[in-house]
Amino acid sequence: MMACTRRLTLTAVLLGIAFVVPAPAEEAYDPWPGLVQDIFNSRPMNDGSTVIGIEMPYRAEDAAIVPVTLRSKLSPGDARRIRSITLVIDRNPAPMAAKFELGPDANVTEISTRVRVNNYTDVHAVAELSDGQLYVSKVYVKASGGCSAPAGKNIEEARNRLGQMRYRQFAREEAPASRVREAQIMIGHPNNSGLQMDQVTQLYIPAFFINQLKLMQDDSPVLSMEGGISISEDPNLRFTYVSNGAKRFRAEAKDTDGHVFRNEWDVEKPGT
């Protein structure tokens, strides 16, 4: 009888232990493998730590206008060049934020813009090089609600500024004889994500955004962008490029409603 009691006690203790031992935590879902399949047709991804840099704040102050800078890390002696850079915000509703095609002779080495971030997420920069290979780098960003945040401007103000463009140039540290230029293009546009709600009607505002942008010095391509809903209101691109001696800088943008916006500036007197 005593032995039977001991066995029952031991069984109860073991069962109690079984109940209190926590089950192994389920691994967090990682959307990146599926995005590689959907966006890049499952092409192999190489380590991009010496090819492409991506800089974003770890914790964003405003999830609707998170700054991001993409920078070439190729060494001066590397014969390859970056053909394109795809920016992917993994957990956004439309993860591919933008794809930048770089002009073959423009030597663009840095691009900065502002994006919406909807959830805590990895953000990937994928560079395709002239050797046909893809190279990836990533950062992690803590931000949420950026895609559904209300617009900063009211409808009337946004309509009045629709398609207005500004072009600026910035002084470089290099000698005046250097052909390297740093410039900025700003476009007035609400870039509605389709996830924002009209505060009066309580209805969702339809998606309406710049989806194509081409920048040229005379007729030579500098940079083009295929954009999505993750690009912030009033798209803003700052970039470096090498001048080919052109006197005019040109921009052409298109949005999802079929509007086409064009402008050009004297390179030496960019103005507004």
Side-chain angles (χ1 to χ4, degrees):
M1 183 67 179
M2 186 70 70
C4 182
T5 302
R6 289 196 188 99
R7 284 197 297 271
L8 288 171
T9 302
L10 179 60
T11 301
V13 170
L14 291 174
L15 286 172
I17 292 173
F19 282 121
V20 299
V21 173
E26 184 178 348
E27 290 188 7
Y29 169 66
D30 181 7
W32 179 241
L35 296 175
V36 172
Q37 178 180 351
D38 294 343
I39 299 174
F40 303 100
N41 296 316
S42 298
R43 293 172 61 188
M45 293 281 168
N46 300 293
D47 176 21
S49 58
T50 61
V51 174
I52 184 71
I54 175 171
E55 298 173 10
M56 298 179 74
Y58 176 67
R59 188 181 295 276
E61 293 184 8
D62 187 337
I65 47 170
V66 183
V68 54
T69 296
L70 307 169
R71 183 176 289 112
S72 171
K73 299 177 73 174
L74 292 176
S75 64
D78 198 320
R80 301 171 299 173
R81 72 172 186 86
I82 297 178
R83 287 178 177 169
S84 68
I85 304 171
T86 303
L87 179 63
V88 181
I89 305 174
D90 294 19
R91 293 185 181 273
N92 268 16
M96 195 183 91
K99 181 176 182 179
F100 301 97
E101 298 279 352
L102 312 187
D105 302 315
N107 194 27
V108 174
T109 57
E110 187 173 311
I111 303 169
S112 296
T113 189
R114 304 176 305 187
V115 296
R116 298 176 170 121
V117 177
N118 213 50
N119 296 285
Y120 287 23
T121 184
D122 285 328
V123 180
H124 289 83
V126 179
E128 180 172 10
L129 266 58
S130 51
D131 62 6
Q133 299 294 309
L134 299 180
Y135 298 82
V136 61
S137 294
K138 74 173 181 178
V139 294
Y140 186 77
V141 177
K142 288 187 173 183
S144 61
C147 292
S148 57
K153 299 176 177 62
N154 62 42
I155 295 176
E156 187 64 29
E157 185 180 0
R159 184 182 297 116
N160 290 338
R161 299 180 69 254
L162 188 69
Q164 292 183 7
M165 294 185 184
R166 294 182 62 199
Y167 171 63
R168 297 176 61 195
Q169 286 191 98
F170 302 89
R172 299 287 295 178
E173 294 181 0
E174 292 89 349
S178 171
R179 295 187 299 128
V180 177
R181 297 183 183 273
E182 184 172 0
Q184 182 181 37
I185 289 286
M186 295 158 282
I187 307 172
H189 202 285
N191 255 39
N192 299 130
S193 67
L195 301 173
Q196 298 154 307
M197 185 175 288
D198 187 305
Q199 301 302 303
V200 176
T201 66
Q202 297 298 297
L203 299 175
Y204 284 102
I205 302 169
F208 174 47
F209 56 90
I210 297 288
N211 59 352
Q212 293 182 47
L213 174 64
K214 295 180 181 180
L215 306 177
M216 293 167 285
Q217 44 182 336
D218 285 344
D219 294 321
S220 179
V222 172
L223 175 66
S224 65
M225 180 189 76
E226 176 188 345
I229 67 170
S230 297
I231 298 296
S232 299
E233 180 181 6
D234 295 333
N236 183 321
L237 284 184
R238 184 163 172 164
F239 53 95
T240 60
Y241 71 102
V242 172
S243 170
N244 64 0
K247 301 300 183 183
R248 307 292 290 175
F249 196 92
R250 300 166 53 202
E252 178 181 284
K254 298 179 181 179
D255 68 22
T256 51
D257 276 12
H259 300 113
V260 179
F261 313 107
R262 297 185 179 92
N263 210 333
E264 62 178 73
W265 303 266
D266 187 322
V267 171
E268 302 305 325
K269 299 176 182 178
T272 59

